[in-house]
Amino acid sequence: MHKIKRDDLVKVIAGKDRDKQGKVLHVDTKNNKVLVEGCNMITKHVKPGPGSPQGGIVQKEAALDISNVMLVVDGKATRVGFEVKDGKKVRVAKTTGKAID
């Protein structure tokens, strides 16, 4: 079980996009990277092909290190912990103490 999951709302705490918020699009647990909607945008040159017949210059999100984002709960960035409730391991917001899932 991981502290950041897909579709979580996170806040970027380091880098050029510090203080931006966005939804997590993808989590790469093997490399500890996350893709956040609207953050860490890069310019990519795409050749024409079946996926994009025109080709051209495309803006897209690049991966951020998972340590550079914090989960947002009730409008505030918070740390995440784990507790066992009813025999299940649950993510818990450290500031409020309430379960996230």
Side-chain angles (χ1 to χ4, degrees):
M1 184 168 244
H2 300 283
K3 295 182 179 185
I4 304 289
K5 293 183 177 181
R6 191 168 164 245
D7 293 330
D8 281 345
L9 183 65
V10 293
K11 180 178 183 178
V12 179
I13 58 170
K16 66 179 183 180
D17 290 324
R18 182 184 2 233
D19 294 331
K20 281 190 181 178
Q21 288 188 4
K23 189 174 80 167
V24 174
L25 301 174
H26 178 73
V27 179
D28 183 3
T29 55
K30 196 171 189 180
N31 299 318
N32 292 325
K33 301 280 185 183
V34 290
L35 226 64
V36 181
E37 187 176 45
C39 294
N40 202 23
M41 299 299 284
I42 59 167
T43 303
K44 186 160 177 70
H45 296 263
V46 179
K47 284 186 174 181
S52 59
Q54 274 297 89
I57 300 172
V58 176
Q59 292 273 35
K60 64 183 275 184
E61 293 94 357
L64 286 166
D65 197 86
I66 203 164
S67 65
N68 293 338
V69 297
M70 281 183 88
L71 188 66
V72 174
V73 178
D74 297 334
K76 292 184 180 180
T78 182
R79 290 182 176 187
V80 179
F82 293 99
E83 287 181 5
V84 177
K85 293 186 179 179
D86 299 326
K88 286 190 171 183
K89 189 176 177 183
V90 219
R91 292 190 304 167
V92 175
K94 288 288 190 173
T95 54
T96 58
K98 70 178 191 179
I100 298 165
D101 294 327

